[in-house]
Amino acid sequence: MLPKDKEEALEGKIDSLQSYIHSPQKQKTLYKRTLFVVSISQIFGGAGLAAGVTVGALLAQQMLGTDAYAGLPSALLTLGSAGAALFVGRLSQAFGRRTGLATGFMIGGLGATGVIIAAIINSIFLLFASLLIYGAGTATNLQARYAGTDLANSKQRATAISMTMVFTTFGAVAGPNLVNVMGKFALSVGIPSLAGPFILAAAAYILAGVFLFIMLRPDPFVIAKMIEVTNQKPSNNGQMETIEQTKNKRGIIVGATIMVLTQIVMVAVMTMTPVHMIHHGHGLGEVGLVIGFHIGAMYLPSLVTGILVDKLGRTVMAIAAGTTLLLAGLIAALAPGDNMILLVMALSLLGIGWNFGLISGTALIVDSTETSTRAKSQGTVDVLIALAGATGGAMSGIIVSVSSYPTLSLVGAIISLLLIPVVIWSRGGKIV
């Protein structure tokens, strides 16, 4: 038995949580608070994500002395994020978003610290191991978008997703543009310059984890589960339940398909762009600028994307994603390597297409899952997204090494074009 004071404290906590169940006003207030807290954490998370993405391939290229494996860091990062997505999803299902997200960000910060040490001692083995762990930050940053939907109704879900992603923009754009600053800082303290951005990543991920752990109370997912259990009504219609389950499975498949294909294209082209630029005489500052535009385009359109997904429909915006990625691939393939304007345009369109695909696909996943299994299902889908990114990252270096960057961009354009018939077919030929 618990001591009386602890038992009373526990009962008070339970009563406090239960007060949300029958109070739409308290639910609405918590929904807004959750969006605010998650959005602030995304500023730090975005900085941690972007800093590592910008120089990961360059660091591996420098340590290995070849381009053939320059896509490997991205592959390892996304492979690590696959395992982390499953872990964070299951942790969130069992203990709530607060525990799952805070833990994921902390692990990501540990991985970034490992990358710094690997650069100092020039250990390629430690670099690759640390990049796997660093992937936890990427997975957590992505899964945080779900937290805003826990108390949102069906007409608010895409908008809630987009609101949290908008705030990622601030950190995501700042990260690449601090490459030179962090590089100089790293050199001043005896650390290789390319490890500098990972100093920022480590600090950003740890701050995001601490902030969520302290501020995400009460946990929106715990409240959502309690509401679902309370409002659950027994059903005697087995046929209706079967139809609903089939519809939900289809929605999950469609949502996952959208996000997997857009992730492959985005990661593949983005990963090799810094290497392509360095080969054409661009400096780290220019690489940071292009990647900054790209990552900004991944998140900033969220200001309107969520509203469009809720108003126009999930499939319409998924088709828009495929069309935008197709255009991005064609421009990247045809742009001269020394033309900054066309590279910025191509990478910006690449980010916008990814944004359309992620928000429309995520909304479909939320629409098609029940709270009792939602976080676990979301984690599983994010595993597929991460594995898709790992595939894109690993293949990108090989394709460029064997052929060229324009060839890689054309392959990305073709894959993105496949998204359109797949989505229409999956929705029974209806664009809704």
Side-chain angles (χ1 to χ4, degrees):
M1 286 184 63
L2 289 171
K4 188 174 180 180
D5 57 338
K6 290 188 177 180
E7 188 175 339
E8 288 176 352
L10 181 61
E11 288 176 356
K13 183 179 178 181
I14 293 172
D15 289 341
S16 176
L17 292 176
Q18 287 180 337
S19 69
Y20 284 87
I21 296 175
H22 302 295
S23 174
Q25 185 58 45
K26 292 193 75 170
Q27 292 172 25
K28 185 178 179 180
T29 301
L30 180 58
Y31 165 67
K32 290 180 178 178
R33 173 181 164 78
T34 299
L35 282 180
F36 174 76
V37 171
V38 173
S39 296
I40 297 301
S41 75
Q42 290 294 82
I43 297 176
F44 298 119
L49 164 69
V53 165
T54 306
V55 297
L58 298 176
L59 186 58
Q61 180 195 34
Q62 185 183 82
M63 293 176 73
L64 290 167
T66 176
D67 290 348
Y69 303 102
L72 196 54
S74 178
L76 288 168
L77 191 153
T78 47
L79 190 61
S81 73
L86 192 64
F87 173 71
V88 172
R90 291 180 182 275
L91 201 62
S92 298
Q93 186 69 55
F95 301 104
R97 300 286 185 192
R98 172 174 165 264
T99 301
L101 296 178
T103 302
F105 274 130
M106 291 290 192
I107 294 173
L110 180 65
T113 304
V115 172
I116 298 165
I117 297 171
I120 293 172
I121 65 175
N122 197 36
S123 170
I124 198 69
F125 174 78
L126 180 59
L127 173 68
F128 289 163
S130 297
L131 284 169
L132 275 170
I133 300 171
Y134 174 70
T138 306
T140 308
N141 194 68
L142 196 58
Q143 282 210 27
R145 74 195 190 278
Y146 290 118
T149 68
D150 288 330
L151 295 173
N153 62 45
S154 60
K155 293 181 180 179
Q156 295 175 316
R157 286 168 181 164
T159 304
I161 295 161
S162 67
M163 284 180 68
T164 59
M165 288 181 63
V166 166
F167 281 82
T168 308
T169 309
F170 298 108
V173 173
N177 287 292
L178 289 172
V179 165
N180 277 338
V181 175
M182 294 306 300
K184 290 176 182 176
F185 172 76
L187 284 174
S188 72
V189 294
I191 297 173
S193 61
L194 286 177
F198 285 95
I199 299 174
L200 174 63
Y205 278 157
I206 291 169
L207 279 171
V210 171
F211 182 76
L212 281 168
F213 189 77
I214 294 172
M215 300 299 294
L216 200 60
R217 301 167 185 261
D219 193 298
F221 189 66
V222 172
I223 299 296
K225 286 197 291 185
M226 292 173 68
I227 292 170
E228 183 181 74
V229 170
T230 302
N231 296 336
Q232 208 166 38
K233 296 177 181 178
S235 173
N236 297 321
N237 195 330
Q239 185 178 2
M240 288 297 293
E241 282 188 358
T242 303
I243 293 172
E244 187 64 26
Q245 287 171 0
T246 302
K247 183 181 176 183
N248 287 346
K249 281 185 180 179
R250 181 183 238 185
I252 293 171
I253 291 169
V254 177
T257 300
I258 294 167
M259 292 189 283
V260 163
L261 290 178
T262 53
Q263 187 77 358
I264 289 174
V265 176
M266 188 277 290
V267 171
V269 177
M270 178 197 67
T271 296
M272 293 311 296
T273 297
V275 176
H276 174 66
M277 291 181 68
I278 293 294
H279 281 169
H280 285 83
H282 296 288
L284 276 179
E286 291 170 306
V287 171
L289 181 66
V290 170
I291 298 299
F293 269 100
H294 165 66
I295 296 180
M298 287 171 64
Y299 295 100
L300 194 55
S302 302
L303 285 164
V304 296
T305 303
I307 297 171
L308 291 174
V309 171
D310 280 334
K311 297 290 185 184
L312 301 181
R314 283 47 166 156
T315 306
V316 169
M317 293 306 294
I319 291 172
T323 306
T324 307
L325 290 171
L326 170 65
L327 187 58
L330 292 175
I331 293 174
L334 298 173
D338 58 355
N339 192 313
M340 277 285 291
I341 294 175
L342 288 179
L343 284 172
V344 166
M345 186 182 300
L347 269 290
S348 295
L349 286 170
L350 189 71
I352 292 169
W354 178 86
N355 178 273
F356 289 171
L358 184 76
I359 294 180
S360 58
T362 300
L364 273 168
I365 297 297
V366 177
D367 291 344
S368 306
T369 51
E370 301 294 331
T371 310
S372 56
T373 58
R374 181 167 292 157
K376 187 168 67 174
S377 299
Q378 290 163 346
T380 303
V381 170
D382 278 4
V383 169
L384 297 177
I385 297 171
L387 291 175
T391 302
M395 293 302 295
S396 64
I398 296 171
I399 292 173
V400 171
S401 180
V402 172
S403 183
S404 65
Y405 178 80
T407 299
L408 172 68
S409 301
L410 286 174
V411 170
I414 292 168
I415 293 173
S416 62
L417 188 61
L418 291 174
L419 180 66
I420 299 172
V422 166
V423 171
I424 294 176
W425 171 81
S426 298
R427 299 291 290 175
K430 297 178 182 180
I431 303 178
V432 293

